[in-house]
Amino acid sequence: MKQKVALLSSLLVITACKDLNSPYWNDFVSSRDANTGLRDSSSPIADEHILNDYSYAGYFSNDIPLPSATPKASNASYRVINVQDYGALPDDDISDKQAIKNAIEAIKQYRQQYHHSSTDVLYFPAGTYIINNADDDALIDPNNLDDIKNKQPIFVDLDRIILKGDGIGVTTLKMDTHLQPENPAKKWTTPHMLQVGARSSSTTVSANILLQSDVVGGSANTVTVDNVQGFQVGDSIELRSLITRSRAIEKAVSPYLIEYKASSPNVPVWANLTKGLNKREKHTIQSISGNTLTFATPIAHSLSAQDKWTVSKITSYANIGIENLTISGNWQGDFVHHKDALHDSGYSLLSLRRAHNSWIRDVELRNFNQGGVLWNTYNVTARNITLSGTPGHLAFTIMYGNNNLIDGLTDHSKAWHAPGVSKYSISNVYRNSQYGADSSIDLHGEQSMHNLFYNMTGG
């Protein structure tokens, strides 16, 4: 890990850190362990003067480049599935939703039969493909939650899969009509139209972390557990803790205090914060020795021996790509924040979920209420993303994620919430990105921390 230190100079959020003689950079270098490159927990430098090591963000920790251009014809490494061969015909104003689902199902059946190890390419040649319209809506019972959650979206629940078009504005996947919300009272609960990655995750394998002393964030990539049974090298895991100690909560919000509602002095404004600090982060197991698990990336949170920490095996798919296309909603209204489910989330376009070592590149999201989300991902790169069209609710965000890299995002959409992070996310990086001059980076609650925004232009 020692070599990763040299990479951080290109990522520091504070402009002054571009000068390698700055105190921020000097403190960072001085705080490193000479042998591992990790943070030296015995360093006398104060915590608030030491920046996190963000050089692990992105596809394979940014140690290797994204794969080269994906082919449009099958070869030894790629098996190309053309959606037109399954009845998806562009530019005819007829829904292609079922045809696309049929192509995805064909990939699954082929894998079950032949167990091949190559990467599948779901290829959309040039044209506009309708992925939801009134005919599709007629098949959905708006009062049936199963219909809303499981029949409305298009699920690409596969690993080793690339969704590829012929270019932004050349290949377009378009929603003519919006989807229905899971709960109309929770206006943000409309499913994303295109959901790529694992649909669910189980935690049947878990263990308690044994802490004899505190672990400073960034100083270790190993944990000792009470039981390694069921864990294997290459597994995706999640570290979790709910820290309820009042002193820990007070320290987390310091120098501020817990705020209470003026109308109800005993009711906190942020109720979840008073319930505890919800810590979580994901890693890949690199090696197992005895009862010690070693991860491919450093542990970002600080672990206190006073708290209970667990490690659980999770489902996370790898080697997923989404590239060279436009995904479009049909939002044309004057947005009103939290007016109803249509305004908040009716046209929700893309969710890359439960994935790692994957990417989104050269993609446009257009005319949406919610554009895109990395949901429960780690070590994902999103590069050259364009947001455009009628202003809606939320541009692009990371939820429940860590070590993700957003590089070169341009937000022309002027969404209510500009790109940002939410839901306990840590150690993610946005860089070289632009958003509206009348907006601001969105830090949307729920205890996200230690995320880096570098070379950002906007309000």
Side-chain angles (χ1 to χ4, degrees), residues 80-101:
V80 177
I81 295 86
N82 189 325
V83 296
Q84 293 186 2
D85 293 337
Y86 294 85
L89 301 178
D91 305 323
D92 61 0
D93 295 324
I94 297 173
S95 176
D96 301 293
K97 187 175 188 176
Q98 189 58 51
I100 295 168
K101 289 185 175 184

Side-chain angles (χ1 to χ4, degrees), residues 39-56:
R39 178 174 170 177
D40 182 354
S41 58
S42 65
S43 171
I45 301 172
D47 288 351
E48 59 267 26
H49 293 165
I50 302 176
L51 293 167
N52 279 26
D53 187 346
Y54 294 100
S55 62
Y56 294 90

